[in-house]
Structures are given as structure tokens and as C-alpha cells.
Amino acid sequence: MDLINNYGSSDEEDNTLVENKPSSTALTVNAAPDTGFDISSSGHLYTAPTATELTVNVTYDDLNRPTLGPENPFQDRRLATQNVVNGHVEQQAISEMDFRTQHRTFETYGYARDPTLSGSTNLAGQTGQGLMGTGYVGNLKVAAELGGASIYDRVNPDLRPNKDARKKRAQKGKLDQVEGPEAYKGPWAGYEDDYVGVATGLNEEQIEQVQLITNPTKALTTKNIAQETHTETTIFHGASERDYLGRTYMAVPQDIDVNLLGEPGEQECFIPKKLIHTWEGHDKGVSSIRFFPKSAHLLLSGGMDNQVKIWDVYHDKSLLRSYIGHTKAVRDIAFNNDGTKFLSASYDRNVKLWDTETGQCIRTFSTGRLPYCVTFNPDQDKNHVFLAGYSDKKIVQFDTNSGEIIQEYDQHLGAVNTITFVDDNRRFITTSDDKTMRAWEYDIPVVIKYIAEPDMYAIPAVTLSPNKKWLACQSLDNQILIYGARDKFRMNRKKRFAGHLIAGYACKPGFSPDGRFISSGDSNGNVWFWDWKSCKILKKLKAHDKVITNTEWHPHESSKLATCSWDGLIKYWD
């Protein structure tokens, strides 16, 4: 009815005023609200909230208009100028001292001044950022009680958080007690819980745990995958394994004129001139020979006929025992310190540990790669550990007692050819097909010396001099280079032995026991002798028909030399 009362007739004049009557209290519903389309179609300019550049002049009112249109329900609600995952972070400049002051204040009192405020603020009527415009964050009640004081401001003792903390003085002790918990301390007695005079720190178990966390051991990528085949056999070729005194061939003979237990190099050495004996037994070439440690009354040889043989050097010079177990050619052999065990590395990818006396194969080691060289650690307490250089550029360290791999050295870029212990067995030198020499600390897989020159060739064979000071390195450019075996490992450019032809072969050099001569085989079957001091060629001896792989001087004889060749013969010269 109110609408009818307010309705005017069309016949009435326009200037006729309708009588104003009290309006109804009913709610008015706007059926056609303002949608803003009249504004958008009236020439106003709208900008995106994320726009950073404007190509036309836009009024301030148009810049601050609300975004038109409904919200996208499938779009994450984010800030237009969001720069982090959970919002927008503004940069603020604050000094290091002010930050530490407020940080310590917050840790002590539970409140701190808002870092966005540049000036000092207080709680007495000043408004600003922070909680409720106080300019502080945290516990506002405590901030009001302390008047916004920082950690460096003086505060009433009654308002300090540690007002009830009082250290209790320790007991002075008894006069008649000198040691123990009741010992007399007198005026030097401290306070309880101050731990004065008490050893602090981590115990041994905690120290070990911290060391394991801070220095985790590198997981070894190589494993011993050798399978025990039990197919190894041995053949004794002598008449009897023991003599009338029950001694085996391991016993050092005492019925000869040479002191086999003396120090090597005591006698003056000479160049051998004639052949005195030939050992025949290998069906194919001989790759390596080694004299028995210290006494050298036995000679061990590894051949390309897959066998390792041991020979008698004195008496009847016969073949004593054959060790059969490899399926491919034997490349390298190595005795331990006392000669009771030896290693053999073969192209069948296995390294076998043998008992020298009984011929039993004690253990087999394999990583699945070709072993090129093996050597025991000469230290007496570490003589159960040996190192093997492989074709996959790694030097692997084995424990013969457990059969496990305990370390690996992986820095070379080519197959590892030689491993030589130097510097009192604390370090070892390795050579590789990558034409480099590298020095290592034992049991630390980090190179301490890297030797590489643009004109260097690969070094397939290395021999340590009798005085342990020099390394004779057979280079594939037909010369023997000399390197120092001490700290510097520098090349001795005054020492260079050349004239022979060994390119393509691993001919191992040899030193006379007194260090006066150096020898080497070549690819034509000749043995070359040089003088150590003058580096001059002293003699060239035709010894074999094929390449000579090794020349070994007898450590207790003055001019005895053993040579081995690919013709399958081992010859003994004097």
C-alpha cells in the first residue's frame, strides 16, 4: 500500500510535489545492482595487478580500481607481487649490533623491537608497527613492565628474570681430608653446579660417534668376487720333500761358501761374462722371476704356460715344485717378507696366495678386472696386506687374513703397471698407461705427488735401488729414467741410460747389490749393462732369442745374474 500511496498520476503536472509521508521500514532489494560495465565502457583504462610497465598515461583512480570479473576457482590464491613460496618478503636494513641486541633481548625477556622501525619507539602513547601498534613483538606485558628495555639497559633487580637464582656455596670440606669428595677446600671452595676442576667434554664413545659423522668412510666400489674353485694343484719334482734332518727346501743351505744371511751389497760386484746354468721347464715364455727374500737360495718364476715354478739356485739347480691353478698366463709374482707365501697375478683375472713350502693355494682374490702388478707391504706389521694394480685404473688393497678389500686408490686414467713402496714404506709410487707417475701415502687414497710431462712416455717397469734412494723407470722411448725415492720424487736429469731397444715391452731393470751397475734386457734378447756414475754402456750380452723381461742380480754374489725371456728359458750368468 505504501507504493500505491506514493504513486502519482501522469495527468498531474511535473512540478506537483507529492506529499511526503513516513517511509516504511521494509527492506529494499536492489534487483539490478551496479556491475561496473558502465565504467568499463566509458573509456577508463584498466591495468593488470602484475603489470610493471605502462605504455599510456593512466590516472591514479584507474590504477587503484578493484579487479573486474569473478575469481578463478582453479587458480592458487597468491599475492600479485609474491617473491617467495608463502608470500612477499621485503628487504630491511639493520645493523649487526642492533640485530644481536634485539635477538638477545628476545631470548632473555621474550620481546624485541620491531626491526621495520627505523627510529626508537616506546610504549608511552607512540603507535607504529608491531603488535597492536606498540612497535614491539613478543610478550607485550613484559615489555610494558620493563619499559621496552634491551638486554644492555639497566633493569630493576626485582624485574629481572633470574632474580630468584642464587648460587649456593659449596662446602669447605674437612680439615683432616686431603683427597676425596670431602677434601678441605676452605676459602677456595666454589659454588655448586659450576663444575670447576671437573673434566668436561665428550667421552670416548661420543668422540667415535662424532668422528663417524664428520668423517664418514667412503664406500668401496670394488668387491672381492673371487670364487673358491679348489682346483689348484701342486707337483713336487724332487726326490724327497725333506732331507735326513727333516728340513725342506725352505731351509737356507749352510754348506756353501757364500753367506746367504748377510747384508746384500757387502762385496764388490762385477759384470757377468759367461752362462753357468739354464733352467728349462716352462712350455712358453717366462714373464717374471723373483729370488727368495734375504737368502736368495730359491728362484720363483711365473710363466705364460699358466704355471708358477720354484727352482733351486745352489746344489743341483733343479726344479723343486710347480704351482698349478691359473687358467691363463701369469703376469706378476711377489714374495712376502719371509718368503713363506707368495702372490701370483694372472690374465684369468685372479690373484692367488700360495704357500711356498706346501704348494697349497690359501686364498683367491678377484675384482673382475685384469691384475697387472702385485706387491706386499714391506712393513712387518702390515705384511699381510698387499696392493694390486688393475686394468680398470684402480689400485686395490687386500687383506690376506680376511680376504676383504680394505682400501682402493682411484686416480689414474689408465691401467696401473707398477707399484713400488718407498720412503720407509710410508708411501708408494705407481705408474700407469696414462703416462704419469703418482705418489700416495699408504692407506690414504689421495695423490701427494703428480708427475706428468708433455714428453713423458708410459713406464711399464720400475726397480728400487739398493740404497732406497732412486727409482729406475723403464720408459717406452728406449731409455731408463731415474727419479728420487724420497720426498720430492724429482727426476735426476744427470742420470739417463739409453742405447737399448725396448719399445712395446715391459723389460724390468736391475741393480747390482752394491749399486755400481744397472742392467736391462731388450726386445732382441740382449742384456745391457751401464755404469751408474758415468751412465756409460759397459757391456752388451746376447742372452736369449726373444725379448728379455727381467734381469735379477743375486744379492749375495759378486757377479751372479738371472735372466728370463719369452723363449721359455731362465739363464744364470756369472
Side-chain angles (χ1 to χ4, degrees):
M1 293 301 293
D2 293 335
L3 295 175
I4 296 175
N5 291 334
N6 293 332
Y7 180 77
S9 175
S10 61
D11 297 337
E12 297 179 357
E13 296 180 357
D14 294 338
N15 55 1
T16 306
L17 298 175
V18 180
E19 183 180 2
N20 293 327
K21 293 184 180 181
S23 62
S24 174
T25 60
L27 180 64
T28 303
V29 178
N30 186 1
D34 184 11
T35 59
F37 288 105
D38 56 339
I39 301 175
S40 62
S41 61
S42 61
H44 292 279
L45 296 175
Y46 282 80
T47 58
T50 57
T52 58
E53 293 183 359
L54 298 177
T55 58
V56 295
N57 293 329
V58 183
T59 62
Y60 178 79
D61 294 335
D62 290 342
L63 286 174
N64 291 279
R65 289 186 183 279
T67 305
L68 292 177
E71 295 182 357
N72 186 357
F74 302 103
Q75 185 179 6
D76 295 338
R77 294 185 178 182
R78 296 186 177 182
L79 297 177
T81 58
Q82 183 174 354
N83 58 359
V84 292
V85 177
N86 55 354
H88 179 77
V89 175
E90 295 181 357
Q91 294 184 354
Q92 296 290 337
I94 184 172
S95 67
E96 180 72 14
M97 180 178 180
D98 193 16
F99 175 81
R100 293 188 179 276
T101 300
Q102 297 303 323
H103 182 253
R104 292 188 58 189
T105 303
F106 188 85
E107 288 183 338
T108 305
Y109 297 143
Y111 67 89
R113 187 164 56 84
D114 193 339
T116 60
L117 300 178
S118 58
S120 61
T121 58
N122 53 45
L123 300 174
Q126 181 175 351
T127 59
Q129 299 182 15
L131 295 178
M132 297 182 297
T134 58
Y136 288 84
V137 293
N139 194 337
L140 297 181
K141 182 179 179 182
V142 177
E145 293 178 356
L146 299 180
S150 68
I151 190 67
Y152 295 114
D153 297 332
R154 184 177 294 276
V155 180
N156 191 344
D158 295 334
L159 299 177
R160 294 176 183 172
N162 58 351
K163 61 180 180 179
D164 297 329
R166 294 288 186 273
K167 284 191 175 182
K168 188 176 180 181
R169 192 68 179 266
Q171 296 182 358
K172 296 184 178 180
K174 298 181 180 180
L175 287 172
D176 55 348
Q177 296 290 334
V178 179
E179 295 179 352
E182 296 183 353
Y184 180 73
K185 303 182 183 66
W188 300 277
Y191 295 87
E192 293 182 355
D193 300 330
D194 58 359
Y195 301 105
V196 174
V198 179
T200 59
L202 303 177
N203 54 30
E204 294 181 356
E205 295 182 358
Q206 293 172 335
I207 292 175
E208 293 179 358
Q209 294 176 358
V210 171
Q211 291 177 348
L212 290 176
I213 295 173
T214 55
N215 298 319
T217 56
K218 179 182 176 182
L220 298 178
T221 59
T222 308
K223 295 183 179 180
N224 185 9
I225 60 173
Q227 301 292 332
E228 297 295 338
T229 59
H230 302 289
T231 58
E232 298 86 359
T233 58
T234 182
I235 300 174
F236 181 74
H237 300 278
S240 175
E241 293 191 13
R242 299 182 181 272
D243 59 3
Y244 68 99
L245 292 177
R247 297 175 301 186
T248 63
Y249 56 77
M250 298 286 289
V252 179
Q254 305 291 336
D255 54 348
I256 56 178
D257 297 334
V258 182
N259 181 16
L260 297 181
L261 299 178
E263 288 294 328
E266 292 180 346
Q267 71 284 351
E268 185 180 0
C269 296
F270 304 94
I271 296 177
K273 298 179 180 179
K274 62 180 180 179
L275 176 67
I276 59 175
H277 187 74
T278 301
W279 286 289
E280 299 179 4
H282 285 285
D283 297 333
K284 296 182 180 180
V286 182
S287 57
S288 182
I289 55 174
R290 296 287 186 275
F291 276 112
F292 194 83
K294 298 179 181 178
S295 62
H297 69 286
L298 301 174
L299 182 67
L300 188 71
S301 64
M304 298 179 185
D305 56 353
N306 314 342
Q307 296 184 15
V308 181
K309 298 179 182 292
I310 194 164
W311 313 81
D312 185 18
V313 177
Y314 295 96
H315 300 133
D316 55 356
K317 298 183 174 59
S318 61
L319 173 62
L320 295 176
R321 186 181 291 276
S322 296
Y323 306 85
I324 306 170
H326 287 292
T327 57
K328 291 186 179 180
V330 178
R331 179 179 172 93
D332 195 18
I333 52 178
F335 273 112
N336 64 350
N337 284 357
D338 54 6
T340 57
K341 301 174 184 176
F342 70 88
L343 293 166
S344 62
S346 170
Y347 285 100
D348 61 4
R349 302 176 188 267
N350 291 324
V351 177
K352 292 183 182 292
L353 178 67
W354 303 85
D355 187 288
T356 309
E357 183 176 0
T358 63
Q360 176 189 1
C361 181
I362 301 173
R363 200 181 294 272
T364 303
F365 309 88
S366 177
T367 65
R369 302 294 181 179
L370 292 177
Y372 280 0
C373 55
V374 288
T375 181
F376 276 100
N377 188 328
D379 267 353
Q380 193 60 39
D381 57 341
K382 301 184 184 67
N383 201 225
H384 62 282
V385 177
F386 76 90
L387 276 69
Y390 281 88
S391 60
D392 61 347
K393 316 167 191 176
K394 294 182 180 179
I395 301 109
V396 182
Q397 184 172 313
F398 291 91
D399 187 342
T400 58
N401 294 335
S402 63
E404 298 295 327
I405 296 175
I406 56 179
Q407 188 61 271
E408 64 180 23
Y409 309 83
D410 187 9
Q411 292 288 328
H412 274 294
L413 303 178
V416 180
N417 292 326
T418 65
I419 302 173
T420 310
F421 277 88
V422 296
D423 201 3
D424 298 328
N425 307 324
R426 295 178 301 166
R427 302 183 177 96
F428 61 92
I429 302 288
T430 58
T431 62
S432 168
D433 285 344
D434 60 6
K435 303 179 182 179
T436 64
M437 290 179 61
R438 299 172 196 248
W440 313 73
E441 289 280 356
Y442 174 72
D443 211 18
I444 301 176
V446 178
V447 175
I448 62 173
K449 182 73 173 181
Y450 174 82
I451 303 172
E453 298 294 340
D455 57 348
M456 274 186 66
Y457 284 73
I459 299 174
V462 175
T463 302
L464 185 64
S465 66
N467 58 8
K468 314 294 184 184
K469 292 182 180 181
W470 305 102
L471 288 171
C473 304
Q474 187 78 265
S475 179
L476 286 183
D477 58 348
N478 301 322
Q479 61 180 343
I480 298 176
L481 305 178
I482 305 299
Y483 286 87
R486 293 298 179 182
D487 294 333
K488 300 296 182 180
F489 305 110
R490 291 178 178 174
M491 179 192 293
N492 188 345
R493 299 193 179 274
K494 296 181 180 180
K495 301 288 184 182
R496 177 179 171 273
F497 304 92
H500 58 316
L501 185 65
I502 54 94
Y505 299 98
C507 301
K508 187 177 175 66
F511 277 97
S512 62
D514 60 356
R516 291 178 56 210
F517 307 111
I518 185 170
S519 63
S520 174
D522 68 359
S523 58
N524 298 322
N526 300 317
V527 180
W528 296 71
F529 298 92
W530 293 269
D531 181 68
W532 171 256
K533 289 185 178 181
S534 64
C535 300
K536 293 181 179 180
I537 299 175
L538 298 179
K539 191 172 184 178
K540 174 185 172 183
L541 180 66
K542 181 62 177 178
H544 294 269
D545 296 331
K546 294 184 179 181
V547 55
I548 297 176
T549 56
N550 203 347
T551 58
E552 288 279 329
W553 291 75
H554 195 290
H556 302 291
E557 299 278 359
S558 60
S559 60
K560 297 290 181 64
L561 177 74
T563 60
C564 65
S565 171
W566 282 12
D567 59 5
L569 301 177
I570 303 171
K571 295 187 177 182
Y572 200 36
W573 305 82
D574 187 5

